[in-house]
Structures are given as structure tokens and as C-alpha cells.
Coordinates of all heavy atoms in Angstrom, one line a residue:
M1 N 103.1 -85.4 150.7 CA 101.7 -85.7 150.6 C 101.7 -87.2 150.0 O 102.4 -87.5 149.0 CB 101.1 -84.8 149.6 CG 99.6 -84.9 149.6 SD 98.9 -83.6 148.5 CE 97.9 -82.7 149.7
S2 N 100.9 -88.0 150.6 CA 100.9 -89.4 150.1 C 100.1 -89.6 148.9 O 99.3 -88.7 148.5 CB 100.3 -90.3 151.2 OG 98.9 -90.0 151.4
H3 N 100.3 -90.7 148.2 CA 99.5 -91.0 147.0 C 98.0 -91.0 147.2 O 97.3 -90.5 146.4 CB 100.0 -92.3 146.4 CG 99.3 -92.7 145.1 ND1 99.4 -92.0 144.0 CD2 98.4 -93.7 144.9 CE1 98.6 -92.6 143.1 NE2 98.0 -93.6 143.6
D4 N 97.6 -91.6 148.3 CA 96.2 -91.7 148.6 C 95.6 -90.3 148.8 O 94.4 -90.1 148.4 CB 96.0 -92.5 149.9 CG 96.4 -94.0 149.7 OD1 96.3 -94.5 148.5 OD2 96.8 -94.7 150.6
A5 N 96.3 -89.4 149.4 CA 95.8 -88.0 149.6 C 95.6 -87.3 148.3 O 94.6 -86.6 148.1 CB 96.7 -87.3 150.6
V6 N 96.6 -87.5 147.4 CA 96.5 -86.9 146.1 C 95.3 -87.4 145.3 O 94.5 -86.7 144.7 CB 97.8 -87.1 145.3 CG1 97.6 -86.6 143.8 CG2 98.9 -86.4 146.0
V7 N 95.1 -88.8 145.4 CA 93.9 -89.4 144.7 C 92.6 -88.9 145.3 O 91.7 -88.6 144.6 CB 94.0 -90.9 144.7 CG1 92.8 -91.6 144.2 CG2 95.2 -91.4 143.9
Q8 N 92.5 -88.8 146.6 CA 91.3 -88.3 147.2 C 91.1 -86.9 146.9 O 89.9 -86.5 146.6 CB 91.4 -88.5 148.8 CG 90.2 -88.1 149.5 CD 89.0 -89.0 149.1 OE1 89.2 -90.2 148.8 NE2 87.8 -88.5 149.1
A9 N 92.1 -86.0 146.8 CA 91.9 -84.6 146.5 C 91.4 -84.5 145.0 O 90.6 -83.7 144.7 CB 93.2 -83.9 146.6
A10 N 91.9 -85.4 144.1 CA 91.4 -85.3 142.8 C 90.0 -85.8 142.6 O 89.2 -85.2 141.8 CB 92.3 -86.2 141.9
K11 N 89.6 -86.7 143.5 CA 88.2 -87.2 143.4 C 87.2 -86.1 144.0 O 86.1 -86.0 143.6 CB 88.0 -88.5 144.2 CG 88.6 -89.7 143.5 CD 88.4 -90.9 144.4 CE 89.0 -92.1 143.7 NZ 88.8 -93.3 144.5
D12 N 87.7 -85.4 145.0 CA 86.9 -84.3 145.6 C 86.8 -83.1 144.8 O 86.0 -82.2 145.1 CB 87.4 -84.0 147.0 CG 87.3 -85.2 148.0 OD1 86.5 -86.1 147.7 OD2 88.0 -85.1 149.0
S13 N 87.5 -83.0 143.7 CA 87.5 -81.8 142.9 C 86.1 -81.6 142.3 O 85.4 -82.5 141.9 CB 88.5 -81.9 141.8 OG 88.4 -80.8 140.9
D14 N 85.6 -80.3 142.3 CA 84.3 -80.0 141.8 C 84.3 -79.6 140.3 O 83.4 -79.0 139.8 CB 83.7 -78.9 142.6 CG 84.5 -77.6 142.6 OD1 85.6 -77.6 142.1 OD2 83.9 -76.6 143.0
G15 N 85.4 -79.9 139.6 CA 85.5 -79.5 138.2 C 86.8 -78.8 137.9 O 87.6 -78.6 138.8
G16 N 86.9 -78.3 136.7 CA 88.1 -77.7 136.4 C 88.1 -76.2 136.7 O 87.1 -75.6 137.0
S17 N 89.3 -75.6 136.6 CA 89.4 -74.2 136.8 C 88.8 -73.4 135.7 O 88.9 -73.8 134.5 CB 90.9 -73.8 136.9 OG 91.1 -72.5 136.7
P18 N 88.0 -72.4 136.0 CA 87.4 -71.6 134.9 C 88.4 -71.0 133.9 O 88.1 -71.0 132.7 CB 86.7 -70.5 135.6 CG 86.5 -70.9 137.0 CD 87.6 -71.9 137.3
V19 N 89.6 -70.7 134.4 CA 90.6 -70.1 133.5 C 91.1 -71.2 132.6 O 91.3 -71.0 131.4 CB 91.8 -69.5 134.3 CG1 92.9 -69.0 133.4 CG2 91.2 -68.3 135.1
F20 N 91.3 -72.4 133.1 CA 91.8 -73.5 132.3 C 90.8 -73.9 131.2 O 91.1 -74.2 130.1 CB 92.1 -74.7 133.2 CG 92.8 -75.9 132.4 CD1 94.0 -75.7 131.8 CD2 92.1 -77.1 132.4 CE1 94.6 -76.8 131.2 CE2 92.7 -78.1 131.7 CZ 94.0 -78.0 131.1
I21 N 89.5 -73.9 131.6 CA 88.5 -74.2 130.6 C 88.4 -73.1 129.5 O 88.2 -73.4 128.3 CB 87.1 -74.3 131.3 CG1 87.1 -75.6 132.2 CG2 86.0 -74.4 130.3 CD1 85.9 -75.8 133.1
L22 N 88.6 -71.9 129.9 CA 88.7 -70.8 128.9 C 89.8 -70.9 128.0 O 89.7 -70.7 126.7 CB 88.7 -69.4 129.6 CG 88.6 -68.2 128.8 CD1 87.1 -68.2 128.2 CD2 88.8 -66.9 129.7
V23 N 91.0 -71.3 128.5 CA 92.2 -71.6 127.6 C 91.9 -72.7 126.7 O 92.2 -72.7 125.5 CB 93.4 -71.8 128.5 CG1 94.6 -72.3 127.7 CG2 93.8 -70.5 129.2
L24 N 91.3 -73.8 127.2 CA 90.9 -74.9 126.3 C 89.9 -74.5 125.2 O 90.1 -75.0 124.1 CB 90.3 -76.1 127.2 CG 91.3 -76.9 128.0 CD1 90.6 -77.9 128.8 CD2 92.4 -77.5 127.1
C25 N 89.0 -73.6 125.5 CA 88.1 -73.2 124.5 C 88.8 -72.3 123.4 O 88.5 -72.5 122.3 CB 87.0 -72.3 125.2 SG 85.8 -73.3 126.1
F26 N 89.8 -71.6 123.9 CA 90.6 -70.8 122.9 C 91.4 -71.8 122.0 O 91.4 -71.6 120.8 CB 91.6 -69.9 123.6 CG 92.5 -69.2 122.7 CD1 92.1 -68.1 121.9 CD2 93.9 -69.6 122.7 CE1 93.0 -67.5 121.1 CE2 94.8 -68.9 121.9 CZ 94.3 -67.9 121.1
F27 N 91.9 -72.8 122.6 CA 92.6 -73.8 121.8 C 91.7 -74.6 120.9 O 92.0 -75.0 119.7 CB 93.4 -74.8 122.7 CG 94.6 -74.3 123.3 CD1 95.0 -74.8 124.5 CD2 95.4 -73.3 122.7 CE1 96.2 -74.3 125.1 CE2 96.5 -72.8 123.2 CZ 96.9 -73.3 124.4
L28 N 90.4 -74.8 121.3 CA 89.4 -75.4 120.5 C 89.1 -74.6 119.2 O 89.1 -75.1 118.1 CB 88.1 -75.6 121.3 CG 87.0 -76.3 120.6 CD1 87.4 -77.8 120.5 CD2 85.7 -76.2 121.4
V29 N 89.0 -73.3 119.4 CA 88.8 -72.4 118.2 C 90.0 -72.4 117.3 O 89.9 -72.5 116.1 CB 88.6 -70.9 118.7 CG1 88.6 -69.9 117.6 CG2 87.2 -70.8 119.5
L30 N 91.2 -72.4 117.8 CA 92.4 -72.5 117.0 C 92.5 -73.8 116.2 O 92.9 -73.9 115.1 CB 93.7 -72.3 117.8 CG 94.0 -70.9 118.3 CD1 95.3 -70.9 119.1 CD2 94.2 -70.0 117.1
G31 N 92.1 -74.9 116.9 CA 92.0 -76.2 116.2 C 91.0 -76.3 115.1 O 91.3 -76.8 114.1
V32 N 89.9 -75.6 115.3 CA 88.9 -75.6 114.3 C 89.4 -74.8 113.1 O 89.2 -75.2 111.9 CB 87.5 -75.0 114.8 CG1 86.6 -74.7 113.6 CG2 86.9 -76.0 115.8
I33 N 90.0 -73.7 113.3 CA 90.6 -72.9 112.2 C 91.7 -73.7 111.5 O 91.8 -73.7 110.3 CB 91.2 -71.6 112.8 CG1 90.1 -70.7 113.3 CG2 92.0 -70.9 111.7 CD1 90.6 -69.4 114.0
Q34 N 92.5 -74.5 112.3 CA 93.5 -75.3 111.6 C 93.0 -76.3 110.7 O 93.5 -76.7 109.7 CB 94.4 -75.9 112.7 CG 95.6 -76.7 112.1 CD 96.6 -77.2 113.2 OE1 96.4 -76.9 114.3 NE2 97.6 -77.9 112.7
V35 N 91.8 -76.9 111.1 CA 91.2 -77.9 110.3 C 90.5 -77.3 109.1 O 90.6 -77.8 108.0 CB 90.2 -78.8 111.1 CG1 89.4 -79.7 110.2 CG2 91.0 -79.6 112.1
V36 N 89.7 -76.2 109.3 CA 88.9 -75.6 108.3 C 89.7 -74.8 107.3 O 89.6 -74.9 106.1 CB 87.7 -74.8 108.9 CG1 86.9 -74.1 107.8 CG2 86.9 -75.7 109.7
R37 N 90.5 -73.9 107.8 CA 91.3 -72.9 107.0 C 92.7 -72.8 107.5 O 93.1 -71.8 108.1 CB 90.6 -71.6 107.0 CG 89.3 -71.5 106.3 CD 89.4 -71.5 104.8 NE 90.4 -70.6 104.3 CZ 90.1 -69.6 103.5 NH1 88.9 -69.4 103.1 NH2 91.1 -68.8 103.1
P38 N 93.6 -73.8 107.3 CA 95.0 -73.7 107.8 C 95.8 -72.5 107.1 O 96.7 -72.0 107.7 CB 95.6 -75.0 107.4 CG 94.8 -75.6 106.3 CD 93.4 -75.0 106.5
Q39 N 95.3 -72.0 106.0 CA 95.9 -70.9 105.3 C 95.9 -69.6 106.2 O 96.8 -68.8 106.2 CB 95.3 -70.6 103.9 CG 95.4 -71.7 103.0 CD 94.2 -72.7 103.1 OE1 93.4 -72.7 104.0 NE2 94.1 -73.6 102.1
L40 N 94.8 -69.5 106.9 CA 94.7 -68.3 107.8 C 95.8 -68.3 108.9 O 96.3 -67.3 109.2 CB 93.3 -68.3 108.5 CG 92.1 -68.0 107.6 CD1 90.8 -68.1 108.4 CD2 92.3 -66.7 106.9
L41 N 96.1 -69.5 109.4 CA 97.1 -69.6 110.4 C 98.5 -69.3 109.8 O 99.3 -68.6 110.4 CB 97.1 -70.9 111.1 CG 95.9 -71.2 112.0 CD1 96.0 -72.6 112.6 CD2 95.9 -70.2 113.2
W42 N 98.7 -69.8 108.6 CA 100.0 -69.5 107.9 C 100.1 -68.0 107.7 O 101.2 -67.5 107.9 CB 100.1 -70.3 106.6 CG 101.4 -70.0 106.0 CD1 102.6 -70.6 106.3 CD2 101.7 -69.0 105.0 NE1 103.6 -70.0 105.5 CE2 103.1 -69.1 104.7 CE3 100.9 -68.1 104.3 CZ2 103.6 -68.2 103.8 CZ3 101.5 -67.3 103.4 CH2 102.8 -67.4 103.1
K43 N 99.1 -67.4 107.2 CA 99.2 -66.0 106.9 C 99.4 -65.2 108.1 O 100.1 -64.2 108.1 CB 97.9 -65.5 106.2 CG 97.8 -66.0 104.8 CD 96.5 -65.5 104.1 CE 96.4 -66.1 102.7 NZ 95.1 -65.8 102.1
A44 N 98.8 -65.6 109.2 CA 99.0 -64.8 110.5 C 100.4 -65.0 111.0 O 101.0 -64.0 111.6 CB 98.0 -65.3 111.5
N45 N 101.0 -66.1 110.8 CA 102.3 -66.4 111.3 C 103.4 -66.0 110.3 O 104.6 -66.0 110.7 CB 102.5 -67.8 111.7 CG 101.7 -68.2 112.9 OD1 101.5 -67.4 113.8 ND2 101.0 -69.3 112.9
A46 N 103.1 -65.8 109.0 CA 104.1 -65.5 108.0 C 104.8 -64.1 108.4 O 106.0 -64.0 108.0 CB 103.5 -65.4 106.6
R47 N 104.1 -63.2 109.0 CA 104.7 -61.9 109.3 C 105.8 -62.1 110.3 O 106.8 -61.3 110.4 CB 103.6 -61.0 109.9 CG 102.7 -60.5 108.9 CD 101.7 -59.5 109.5 NE 100.4 -59.9 109.1 CZ 99.4 -60.0 109.8 NH1 99.4 -59.7 111.1 NH2 98.2 -60.4 109.4
L48 N 105.8 -63.2 111.1 CA 106.9 -63.4 112.1 C 108.2 -63.8 111.4 O 109.2 -63.7 112.1 CB 106.4 -64.5 113.1 CG 105.2 -64.2 113.9 CD1 104.8 -65.4 114.8 CD2 105.5 -63.0 114.8
Q49 N 108.1 -64.2 110.2 CA 109.3 -64.7 109.5 C 110.1 -63.5 108.9 O 111.3 -63.6 108.6 CB 108.9 -65.6 108.3 CG 108.3 -66.9 108.8 CD 108.0 -67.8 107.6 OE1 108.4 -67.5 106.5 NE2 107.2 -68.8 107.8
R50 N 109.5 -62.4 108.8 CA 110.1 -61.2 108.2 C 111.3 -60.8 109.0 O 111.3 -60.8 110.2 CB 109.2 -60.0 108.0 CG 108.0 -60.4 107.1 CD 107.3 -59.2 106.6 NE 106.0 -59.5 106.0 CZ 105.8 -60.1 104.9 NH1 106.8 -60.5 104.2 NH2 104.6 -60.3 104.4
G51 N 112.4 -60.6 108.3 CA 113.6 -60.2 109.0 C 114.7 -61.3 109.1 O 115.8 -61.1 109.0
W52 N 114.2 -62.5 109.1 CA 115.2 -63.6 109.2 C 115.0 -64.7 108.0 O 115.7 -65.6 107.9 CB 115.2 -64.3 110.5 CG 113.9 -64.9 111.0 CD1 112.9 -64.2 111.6 CD2 113.5 -66.3 111.0 NE1 111.9 -65.1 111.9 CE2 112.2 -66.3 111.5 CE3 114.1 -67.4 110.5 CZ2 111.5 -67.5 111.6 CZ3 113.4 -68.6 110.6 CH2 112.1 -68.7 111.2
V53 N 113.9 -64.4 107.2 CA 113.7 -65.3 106.0 C 113.7 -64.3 104.8 O 113.0 -63.3 104.9 CB 112.4 -66.0 106.1 CG1 112.1 -66.8 104.8 CG2 112.4 -67.0 107.3
K54 N 114.4 -64.6 103.8 CA 114.5 -63.7 102.7 C 113.2 -63.5 102.0 O 112.8 -62.3 101.6 CB 115.5 -64.2 101.6 CG 116.9 -64.1 102.1 CD 117.9 -64.5 101.0 CE 119.3 -64.5 101.6 NZ 120.3 -64.9 100.6
N55 N 112.4 -64.5 101.8 CA 111.1 -64.5 101.1 C 110.1 -65.3 101.8 O 109.9 -66.5 101.5 CB 111.3 -64.9 99.6 CG 110.0 -64.7 98.8 OD1 109.1 -64.1 99.3 ND2 110.1 -65.2 97.6
P56 N 109.4 -64.7 102.7 CA 108.4 -65.4 103.5 C 107.3 -66.0 102.7 O 106.8 -67.1 103.0 CB 107.8 -64.4 104.5 CG 108.8 -63.3 104.5 CD 109.5 -63.3 103.2
D57 N 106.9 -65.4 101.5 CA 105.9 -66.0 100.7 C 106.3 -67.3 100.1 O 105.5 -68.1 99.7 CB 105.5 -65.0 99.6 CG 104.9 -63.7 100.2 OD1 104.2 -63.9 101.2 OD2 105.0 -62.7 99.6
A58 N 107.6 -67.5 99.9 CA 108.1 -68.8 99.4 C 108.0 -69.9 100.3 O 108.2 -71.1 99.9 CB 109.6 -68.6 98.9
T59 N 107.7 -69.7 101.6 CA 107.7 -70.7 102.6 C 106.3 -71.3 102.8 O 106.0 -72.1 103.7 CB 108.2 -70.2 103.9 OG1 107.4 -69.2 104.4 CG2 109.6 -69.8 103.8
E60 N 105.3 -70.8 102.0 CA 103.9 -71.3 102.1 C 103.9 -72.8 101.8 O 104.4 -73.2 100.8 CB 103.0 -70.5 101.2 CG 101.5 -70.9 101.4 CD 100.6 -70.1 100.6 OE1 101.0 -69.2 99.8 OE2 99.4 -70.3 100.8
P61 N 103.2 -73.5 102.7 CA 103.1 -75.0 102.5 C 102.4 -75.3 101.2 O 101.5 -74.6 100.7 CB 102.3 -75.5 103.7 CG 102.4 -74.4 104.7 CD 102.5 -73.1 103.9
T62 N 102.7 -76.5 100.7 CA 102.0 -77.0 99.5 C 100.6 -77.6 99.9 O 100.3 -77.6 101.1 CB 102.8 -78.2 98.9 OG1 103.0 -79.2 99.8 CG2 104.2 -77.7 98.4
S63 N 99.9 -78.1 99.0 CA 98.6 -78.7 99.3 C 98.8 -79.9 100.2 O 98.0 -80.2 101.1 CB 97.8 -79.1 98.1 OG 98.5 -80.0 97.3
K64 N 99.9 -80.7 100.1 CA 100.1 -81.8 100.9 C 100.5 -81.3 102.4 O 100.1 -81.9 103.4 CB 101.3 -82.7 100.4 CG 100.9 -83.5 99.2 CD 102.0 -84.3 98.7 CE 101.7 -85.1 97.5 NZ 102.8 -85.9 97.0
G65 N 101.2 -80.2 102.4 CA 101.5 -79.6 103.7 C 100.3 -79.1 104.5 O 100.1 -79.3 105.7
Y66 N 99.3 -78.5 103.7 CA 98.1 -78.1 104.4 C 97.2 -79.4 104.8 O 96.6 -79.3 105.8 CB 97.3 -77.2 103.4 CG 97.8 -75.8 103.4 CD1 98.0 -75.2 102.2 CD2 98.0 -75.1 104.5 CE1 98.4 -73.9 102.1 CE2 98.5 -73.8 104.5 CZ 98.7 -73.2 103.3 OH 99.1 -71.9 103.2
A67 N 97.3 -80.4 104.0 CA 96.6 -81.7 104.4 C 97.2 -82.2 105.6 O 96.4 -82.7 106.5 CB 96.7 -82.7 103.2
M68 N 98.5 -82.2 105.8 CA 99.1 -82.7 107.0 C 98.7 -81.8 108.2 O 98.5 -82.3 109.3 CB 100.6 -82.7 106.8 CG 101.3 -83.4 108.0 SD 100.9 -85.1 108.1 CE 101.6 -85.5 109.6
S69 N 98.6 -80.5 107.9 CA 98.2 -79.6 109.0 C 96.8 -79.9 109.4 O 96.5 -79.8 110.6 CB 98.4 -78.1 108.5 OG 97.9 -77.2 109.4
R70 N 95.9 -80.2 108.5 CA 94.6 -80.5 108.9 C 94.5 -81.8 109.7 O 93.8 -81.9 110.6 CB 93.7 -80.7 107.6 CG 93.4 -79.4 107.0 CD 92.4 -79.6 105.8 NE 91.9 -78.3 105.3 CZ 92.4 -77.7 104.2 NH1 93.3 -78.3 103.5 NH2 91.9 -76.5 103.9
T71 N 95.4 -82.8 109.3 CA 95.4 -84.0 110.0 C 95.8 -83.8 111.5 O 95.2 -84.3 112.4 CB 96.4 -85.0 109.3 OG1 95.9 -85.2 108.0 CG2 96.4 -86.4 110.1
V72 N 96.9 -83.0 111.6 CA 97.4 -82.7 113.0 C 96.3 -81.9 113.7 O 96.1 -82.1 114.9 CB 98.7 -81.9 112.9 CG1 99.1 -81.4 114.3 CG2 99.8 -82.8 112.4
G73 N 95.5 -81.0 113.0 CA 94.5 -80.3 113.7 C 93.4 -81.2 114.2 O 92.8 -80.9 115.2
V74 N 93.0 -82.2 113.4 CA 92.0 -83.2 113.9 C 92.4 -83.9 115.2 O 91.7 -84.0 116.1 CB 91.6 -84.2 112.8 CG1 90.8 -85.3 113.3 CG2 90.9 -83.5 111.6
I75 N 93.7 -84.3 115.2 CA 94.2 -85.0 116.4 C 94.2 -84.0 117.6 O 93.8 -84.3 118.7 CB 95.6 -85.5 116.1 CG1 95.6 -86.6 115.1 CG2 96.3 -86.0 117.4 CD1 96.9 -87.0 114.5
F76 N 94.6 -82.7 117.3 CA 94.7 -81.7 118.3 C 93.2 -81.4 118.9 O 93.0 -81.3 120.1 CB 95.3 -80.4 117.7 CG 95.3 -79.3 118.7 CD1 96.3 -79.2 119.7 CD2 94.5 -78.2 118.6 CE1 96.4 -78.2 120.6 CE2 94.5 -77.1 119.5 CZ 95.5 -77.1 120.4
L77 N 92.3 -81.3 117.9 CA 90.9 -81.1 118.4 C 90.4 -82.3 119.2 O 89.7 -82.1 120.2 CB 90.0 -81.0 117.2 CG 89.8 -79.6 116.5 CD1 89.0 -79.7 115.3 CD2 89.3 -78.6 117.5
G78 N 90.7 -83.5 118.9 CA 90.3 -84.6 119.7 C 90.9 -84.6 121.1 O 90.2 -84.8 122.1
L79 N 92.2 -84.2 121.2 CA 92.8 -84.0 122.6 C 92.1 -82.9 123.4 O 91.9 -83.0 124.6 CB 94.3 -83.8 122.4 CG 95.1 -85.0 122.0 CD1 96.5 -84.6 121.7 CD2 95.0 -86.1 123.0
V80 N 91.9 -81.8 122.7 CA 91.3 -80.6 123.4 C 89.9 -81.0 123.9 O 89.5 -80.7 125.0 CB 91.3 -79.4 122.5 CG1 90.4 -78.3 123.1 CG2 92.7 -78.9 122.3
I81 N 89.1 -81.6 123.0 CA 87.7 -82.0 123.4 C 87.7 -83.0 124.5 O 87.0 -82.9 125.5 CB 87.0 -82.5 122.2 CG1 86.7 -81.4 121.2 CG2 85.7 -83.2 122.6 CD1 86.2 -81.9 119.8
W82 N 88.7 -84.0 124.5 CA 88.8 -84.9 125.6 C 89.2 -84.2 126.9 O 88.6 -84.5 127.9 CB 89.9 -86.0 125.2 CG 90.1 -87.0 126.3 CD1 89.3 -88.0 126.6 CD2 91.2 -87.0 127.2 NE1 89.9 -88.7 127.7 CE2 91.0 -88.1 128.1 CE3 92.3 -86.2 127.4 CZ2 91.9 -88.4 129.1 CZ3 93.2 -86.5 128.4 CH2 93.0 -87.6 129.2
M83 N 90.1 -83.2 126.8 CA 90.4 -82.5 128.0 C 89.3 -81.7 128.6 O 89.1 -81.6 129.8 CB 91.6 -81.6 127.8 CG 92.9 -82.4 127.6 SD 94.3 -81.4 127.0 CE 94.6 -80.4 128.5
L84 N 88.5 -81.1 127.7 CA 87.3 -80.3 128.1 C 86.3 -81.2 128.8 O 85.7 -80.8 129.8 CB 86.7 -79.6 126.9 CG 87.2 -78.2 126.6 CD1 86.6 -77.7 125.3 CD2 86.8 -77.3 127.7
V85 N 86.1 -82.4 128.2 CA 85.1 -83.3 128.8 C 85.6 -83.7 130.2 O 84.8 -83.9 131.1 CB 84.9 -84.5 127.9 CG1 84.1 -85.7 128.6 CG2 84.1 -84.1 126.6
Q86 N 86.9 -83.9 130.3 CA 87.4 -84.3 131.6 C 87.2 -83.2 132.7 O 87.1 -83.5 133.9 CB 88.9 -84.7 131.5 CG 89.1 -85.9 130.7 CD 88.6 -87.2 131.3 OE1 88.7 -87.4 132.5 NE2 87.9 -88.0 130.5
Q87 N 87.3 -82.0 132.2 CA 87.2 -80.9 133.2 C 85.7 -80.6 133.6 O 85.5 -80.0 134.6 CB 87.8 -79.6 132.5 CG 89.3 -79.7 132.3 CD 90.0 -79.8 133.7 OE1 89.7 -79.1 134.6 NE2 90.9 -80.7 133.7
L88 N 84.8 -80.9 132.7 CA 83.4 -80.6 133.0 C 82.7 -81.7 133.8 O 82.9 -82.5 134.4 CB 82.6 -80.3 131.8 CG 83.2 -79.2 131.0 CD1 82.4 -79.0 129.7 CD2 83.0 -77.9 131.7

């Protein structure tokens, strides 16, 4: 397939896949949780450490770690919102 055909097919697209948009909305919710309450994500994932970490409670991030998580969450939200806008 030539480059021109690919560009034309992309221009003729009527929007994004409904499943892809649904997945992006799920990621949007996760990003909001990461920005607002990163402790919830840590608590949800701490159970996965059991069995190979001696004390999972000792691995909880510090306040600086949560601040970094929030910063990454803001960047993640920006990317997800940009992708949603591109799909709609």
C-alpha cells in the first residue's frame, strides 16, 4: 500500500473505534484517580506484592513519591485527553 493511499484512508476515517474510545475513557478515569488519590492505586496494587516482598506495607511511597505520581498522572491525563480529542 502506498503512502498516499494510507494518508487518504486516514483522512476518510469517520472517527475512532468505539472500543478504542471506551479504553481511553477507562484510562482517563485511572489518570484522574492517580492525580486525585494515588494512595488508592497503591493500595490496589500492594496485594500483588504479597508472596515475593517480605513486607508490602513497607514499600508505600513517601509524600515525595506520591507527588511524583501525581505529576506523571497529569502528563498521562494530558496525553489521554489529546488522544480522545483526536478520535472524536
